[in-house]
């Protein structure tokens, strides 16, 4: 079983993957990303956005799928993700793995550091 460290908390992952969902602070448009925990770090496997706007342009190979722009980003594996709450968003991030979801980073303050658990 894989897990993530979210600050000081440990989150067990179903199948070694998770998704992040949030609403863009300026455009108020939904964004989704799917990530996998690999030996190289956190790998972004899919991104989707409900529209486009300031800093929210879909990738060059994006296609429309059920009202979303969906694409596979070419981002290399990341050692960690920093999720910073601006206070301007309507909510934090929703982190899901399997059927379990939790809201993280709803309050402005120190960024939440997501990283794979040590082996």
């Amino acid at each position: 079983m894989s897990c993530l460290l979210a600050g000081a908390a440990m989150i067990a992952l179903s199948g070694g993957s998770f998704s992040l969902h949030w609403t863009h602070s300026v455009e108020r448009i939904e964004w989704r990303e799917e990530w996998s925990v690999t030996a190289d770090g956190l790998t972004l496997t899919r991104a989707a956005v409900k529209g486009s706007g300031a800093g929210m342009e879909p990738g060059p190979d994006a296609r429309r799928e059920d009202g979303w722009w969906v694409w596979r980003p070419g981002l290399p594996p990341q050692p960690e993700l920093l999720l910073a709450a601006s206070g301007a968003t309507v909510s934090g991030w929703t982190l899901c793995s399997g059927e379990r979801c939790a809201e993280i980073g709803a309050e402005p303050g120190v960024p939440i550091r997501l990283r794979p658990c040590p082996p």
Side-chain angles (χ1 to χ4, degrees):
M1 175 178 13
S2 295
C3 73
L4 283 176
L5 294 175
M10 185 178 81
I11 301 170
L13 300 178
S14 173
S17 63
F18 65 97
S19 64
L20 288 173
H21 309 247
W22 70 93
T23 300
H24 190 275
S25 61
V26 174
E27 299 292 339
R28 304 284 194 239
I29 294 173
E30 292 177 76
W31 191 284
R32 297 179 183 168
E33 292 179 345
E34 295 177 13
W35 293 84
S36 292
V37 178
T38 68
D40 296 325
L42 302 173
T43 302
L44 180 59
T45 59
R46 185 174 190 255
V49 65
K50 217 30 168 167
S52 62
M56 299 179 52
E57 294 75 25
D61 62 338
R63 64 192 181 290
R64 291 290 281 178
E65 209 174 275
D66 298 324
W68 291 81
W69 286 106
V70 178
W71 70 100
R72 282 195 177 278
L75 187 68
Q78 302 294 300
E80 64 184 15
L81 302 177
L82 291 177
L83 306 178
S86 67
T89 56
V90 296
S91 64
W93 288 266
T94 301
L95 187 149
C96 298
S97 181
E99 298 295 319
R100 295 184 358 200
C101 295
E103 185 177 36
I104 59 174
E107 298 297 321
V110 177
I112 293 175
R113 184 180 309 265
L114 286 182
R115 63 186 189 274
C117 291

